[in-house]
Amino acid sequence: MLKPNTNYANLKDSYLFYNISRKVNAYLEKNPGAHLLRLGIGDVSLPLPGAVIKALHGAVDDQAAKQTFHGYMPECGAPFLREIIAAHYNKRGVDINADEVFISSGASDELGDILDLFDKFDTALIMEPAYPAYVDANIMSGRRIIHLSAGKDNGFLPSPPKEAKADIIYICSPNNPTGAVFSREQLKDWVDFANRNASVILFDAAYEAFIEDNALPHSIFEIEGAKECAIEICSLSKTAGFTGTRLGYTVIPKGLSRGGMNFNRMWVRNRTTKTNGVSYIIQKGAVAVFTDEGQAQIKENISVYKQNARVLSNALGKLGIWYCGGKNAPYVWMKVPDGFDSWSFFDFLLNEAGVVGTPGAGFGKCGEGFFRLSSFGDPEDTKEAAERLVNLLR
Ligand code: PLP
């Protein structure tokens, strides 16, 4: 008799965003026409850069003529995009070849799919609070999770554990939800830990473009020894506004092997079986992100979000509230004032100030007592929200 994947029964309901929208709808019913200031979203609000739009239009026209039409694209990505991404790494001093870069439809897809490379008896170490997909994807495949707590005392940047070992290690830096960023030295400790234990690091670099401090690493491959123990998963979603356009890339160095199996070769085999690649049009649009013009334009967009983050951080600074993130990341992670937990603070902000954020408890137990503010919103709304926050909590 057919046996479904009963691991799905072990998933918790995706309570966080459901509960937020339920509470927001109830508020709007009671206060029709109220202008809510939404700092809860992880979605971008600015349109695609002009260089990308131009490239997308050009690619649409290519598809209209027999001589320039493209059908199926190579499963691992178009060489023109793999090459320009590898060159982007090379410019930063990271020696990556085009055939180590795999094009995907986004980091979310890839974070789930990449688990095909691992055995279901491998253990996964997840630092918490965490992006919920890491936990859920491993529960779905029945893998044992080792939760590593992060907190205010370690700036939400935990060190490798002394006792526990793990096969797969998730690192997200700059972090969602905390906005904390690992230094080179801290990442080196994790790379050494992974190489000592024959683990593999899954490095989520979705927010690398928000790093402004030159001392901080954008890529795990800036760290010595990482090419022997890490896979990097990246996305143009937050870098270039591709949340609805969809494009990501994954770097698997050819030197990464475990148990006699080579991960780059395995991923080629996986992709050539399980996907027919990303559309020609979108890949052409993505190329424009890596041109000089595209890089200048995405920096302009990111600077708008960064200004939002400064406005929010300044408000918390004025109030003397502890927070991290907001400088090299789009998220500001604040401690909720005494007397609140993260959900009661959510209700208080919504009902008293019309401001929507994200309760930290939604990112795992260690997030309780904290609250995430996103800088991806409208600048005027963000200023207004910061003022309301100061007036309410002063
Ligand atoms: N990784 C992290 C840490 C994220 O916060 C997100 C999206 O919010 C993703 C991955 C998914 O990105 P994508 O839009 O490329 O699927």
Side-chain angles (χ1 to χ4, degrees), residues 42 106-109 111 131 134 172 176 204 206-207 235 237-238 243 246-247 331:
S108 265
D109 312 45
L111 282 163
Y131 182 58
Y134 304 158
C172 177
N176 178 11
D204 184 340
Y207 297 99
S235 162
S237 282
K238 311 301 161 78
T243 51
R246 312 301 304 144
L247 192 118
Y331 299 116

Side-chain angles (χ1 to χ4, degrees), residues 37 39 60 70-71 82 92 109 121 125 129 133 163-164 220 225 268 276 281 298 305 314 327 341 348 362:
L37 305 173
L39 303 183
V60 169
H70 286 76
R82 300 177 85 184
R92 286 206 182 123
D109 312 45
F121 296 108
L125 182 145
E163 317 78 36
I220 185 96
V268 171
N276 266 328
I281 297 169
I298 63 166
Y305 300 136
N314 288 345
K327 187 160 188 288
D341 63 19
F348 178 67

Side-chain angles (χ1 to χ4, degrees), residues 70-351:
H70 286 76
Y72 285 126
M73 297 301 289
E75 297 89 343
C76 298
F80 57 74
L81 182 55
R82 300 177 85 184
E83 274 157 23
I84 202 166
I85 293 175
H88 183 73
Y89 275 93
N90 299 162
K91 272 187 218 155
R92 286 206 182 123
V94 179
D95 181 21
I96 292 293
N97 284 319
D99 56 1
E100 296 175 306
V101 177
F102 295 84
I103 307 305
S104 74
S105 304
S108 265
D109 312 45
E110 207 76 342
L111 282 163
D113 293 352
I114 204 84
L115 291 176
D116 276 3
L117 296 179
F118 302 94
D119 191 275
K120 78 170 182 183
F121 296 108
D122 286 339
T123 53
L125 182 145
I126 301 180
M127 303 173 194
E128 293 196 3
Y131 182 58
Y134 304 158
V135 174
D136 287 352
N138 281 287
I139 291 178
M140 284 176 191
S141 39
R143 213 164 271 114
R144 186 164 76 80
I145 298 174
I146 300 165
H147 298 272
L148 180 64
S149 303
K152 207 167 149 243
D153 50 336
N154 54 24
F156 288 93
L157 297 167
S159 306
K162 297 264 174 315
E163 317 78 36
K165 280 193 197 167
D167 301 308
I168 309 166
I169 299 167
Y170 284 82
I171 301 181
C172 177
S173 179
N175 190 271
N176 178 11
T178 68
V181 188
F182 280 102
S183 69
R184 274 172 215 284
E185 296 68 32
Q186 288 166 322
L187 276 190
K188 178 77 174 111
D189 288 345
W190 278 105
V191 164
D192 290 347
F193 175 80
N195 277 327
R196 243 187 349 262
N197 295 308
S199 326
V200 170
I201 294 174
L202 295 182
F203 190 77
D204 184 340
Y207 297 99
E208 63 81 19
F210 288 78
I211 293 176
E212 60 187 42
D213 184 342
N214 286 336
L216 294 171
H218 288 250
S219 161
I220 185 96
F221 300 119
E222 292 176 42
I223 311 302
E224 200 197 325
K227 283 170 92 178
E228 284 74 50
C229 70
I231 291 175
E232 181 156 296
I233 296 179
C234 205
S235 162
L236 295 187
S237 282
K238 311 301 161 78
T239 302
F242 271 61
T243 51
T245 305
R246 312 301 304 144
L247 192 118
Y249 51 96
T250 298
V251 179
I252 309 184
K254 283 194 253 172
L256 177 61
S257 295
R258 293 285 181 259
M261 304 285 284
N262 182 275
F263 282 81
N264 183 290
R265 276 203 295 277
M266 285 161 76
W267 198 234
V268 171
R269 193 68 183 81
N270 181 295
R271 294 293 82 184
T272 50
T273 303
K274 291 199 168 180
T275 166
N276 266 328
V278 176
S279 100
Y280 167 74
I281 297 169
I282 304 300
Q283 293 196 67
K284 276 300 222 190
V287 165
V289 171
F290 297 95
T291 60
D292 290 345
E293 192 190 6
Q295 287 290 300
Q297 291 174 354
I298 63 166
K299 281 204 180 84
E300 262 172 52
N301 283 3
I302 288 174
S303 73
V304 172
Y305 300 136
K306 282 183 160 288
Q307 177 56 22
N308 285 346
R310 262 193 299 278
V311 166
L312 295 169
S313 308
N314 288 345
L316 297 177
K318 256 191 223 163
L319 291 163
I321 291 177
W322 186 93
Y323 69 92
C324 64
K327 187 160 188 288
N328 296 290
Y331 299 116
V332 181
W333 181 249
M334 64 178 280
K335 180 142 181 20
V336 300
D338 289 345
F340 289 100
D341 63 19
S342 28
W343 276 108
S344 60
F345 186 64
F346 173 89
D347 292 334
F348 178 67
L349 263 194
L350 172 65
N351 293 313

Side-chain angles (χ1 to χ4, degrees), residues 23-35:
K23 283 170 182 274
V24 165
N25 290 341
Y27 175 88
L28 288 173
E29 239 168 63
K30 252 206 267 161
N31 305 274
H35 178 54

